[in-house]
Amino acid sequence: MRLRILIISRRKLVLTFLFLLTLGGFLTMAQGSMTVPSIVKAPGTYYMTNTQEKIAALTFDDGPDPIDTPAVLDILKEKDVRATFFVLGKAAQTYPFLLKRLIKEGHEIGNHGYSHDYQQRRLVEEMNQTDQAVFAATGYHTYFYRPPGGFVSKSQLETTKRNGHVVALWSVDSKDWRNPGVKQITDNVVKNVFPGSIILMHDGGYRRTQTVKSLGPIIDALKARGYRLVTLSELRMLDAETK
């Protein structure tokens, strides 16, 4: 009898484990398909602007990329939209002609570090390397810094400020880095945008085919809702709390 009870208990444990595993997988898939706000913020960082005006900023990380960045720029030019590109120093040194095009077409360049090191072990050195690469190509210095993954500690925040940069995060995540599909990327932005929001997208790191395909529909949908899309510097100037 005791042996039988022990076997039943093990079966229940196995069945319970399998049920929870299945439920967890379902919830993960459901979460991936839901459009929920994804505000990444920390005290002292810039992740949105306090305004009632329908205005937002498109930002792109991890470029420049010789394939996807030109495709993104072509769409922005066609739609008459200016954006902010957080570039990696390695890519900036390799493709300075893309930085020149960014500036020529009215976009803003932000600093995303040199090597996309999530731990930011050489924070100041990487910021300065990237800033030097941008300046060498364009004659402009970077002002905004976006830490890889949005990870920033209090000490890193203070270090960044002392280095003359503003830590810029985001308030709407397109989640294009997941490659969830063009429609999902579009919905992630359009259904969660609000006045003063900063939108996170990517033009480098990996192939961004879905990002490129979703960009036009995103811009069209936001404009249809009355939104104006600007650079981060322009957005920040409209912040009611900084005037």
Side-chain angles (χ1 to χ4, degrees):
M1 179 65 69
R2 289 182 181 177
L3 180 60
R4 184 181 177 186
I5 292 173
L6 181 61
I7 293 174
I8 292 174
S9 298
R10 286 180 176 176
R11 286 183 62 191
K12 285 184 177 180
L13 285 173
V14 171
L15 290 173
T16 301
F17 174 76
L18 290 175
F19 171 76
L20 291 175
L21 186 63
T22 303
L23 179 62
F26 171 77
L27 290 175
T28 300
M29 289 187 293
Q31 184 180 17
S33 64
M34 289 190 297
T35 56
V36 295
S38 181
I39 297 179
V40 175
K41 60 183 179 180
T45 65
Y46 177 50
Y47 58 91
M48 61 175 285
T49 279
N50 293 284
T51 180
Q52 298 300 313
E53 185 177 348
K54 281 191 171 183
I55 189 168
L58 281 172
T59 66
F60 297 87
D61 288 9
D62 297 349
D65 177 88
I67 297 176
D68 294 320
T69 301
V72 167
L73 289 174
D74 289 344
I75 295 169
L76 294 175
K77 186 174 183 180
E78 176 189 350
K79 304 292 184 181
D80 193 25
V81 168
R82 306 292 177 265
T84 300
F85 290 78
F86 285 92
V87 303
L88 290 171
K90 282 185 176 180
Q93 287 183 338
T94 305
Y95 308 110
F97 64 94
L98 289 176
L99 300 187
K100 295 178 187 294
R101 180 179 173 185
L102 286 172
I103 294 299
K104 182 179 180 181
E105 297 183 3
H107 303 292
E108 182 174 34
I109 298 177
N111 195 316
H112 200 39
Y114 188 82
S115 64
H116 209 278
D117 177 17
Y118 287 107
Q119 298 181 40
Q120 301 171 85
R121 289 161 291 196
R122 299 184 298 113
L123 176 59
V124 173
E125 181 181 347
E126 289 216 1
M127 272 195 293
N128 290 342
Q129 281 182 292
T130 300
D131 184 69
Q132 290 166 9
V134 172
F135 185 78
T138 68
Y140 289 89
H141 288 289
T142 56
Y143 175 65
F144 293 105
Y145 170 71
R146 175 169 287 166
F151 302 123
V152 60
S153 66
K154 184 177 180 180
S155 62
Q156 289 169 339
L157 177 62
E158 292 303 319
T159 298
T160 302
K161 288 181 178 180
R162 287 196 299 270
N163 203 52
H165 287 79
V166 172
V167 175
L169 301 180
W170 58 87
S171 40
V172 176
D173 188 352
S174 69
K175 298 183 181 176
D176 59 345
W177 46 274
R178 290 184 176 179
N179 284 322
V182 173
K183 183 181 185 302
Q184 189 62 54
I185 293 172
T186 304
D187 287 346
N188 287 341
V189 174
V190 176
K191 292 185 178 182
N192 293 306
V193 72
F194 58 88
S197 56
I198 297 173
I199 302 164
L200 172 67
M201 302 187 77
H202 296 79
D203 68 315
Y206 301 95
R207 284 306 310 274
R208 301 299 180 185
T209 303
Q210 292 184 8
T211 301
V212 172
K213 290 182 178 179
S214 66
L215 183 56
I218 286 172
I219 293 173
D220 291 342
L222 293 181
K223 284 187 174 182
R225 294 189 177 198
Y227 276 88
R228 183 163 60 94
L229 298 169
V230 298
T231 65
L232 273 189
S233 291
E234 292 171 318
L235 184 71
R236 199 160 191 251
M237 288 177 62
L238 297 174
D239 196 321
E241 294 188 359
T242 60
K243 291 182 179 179

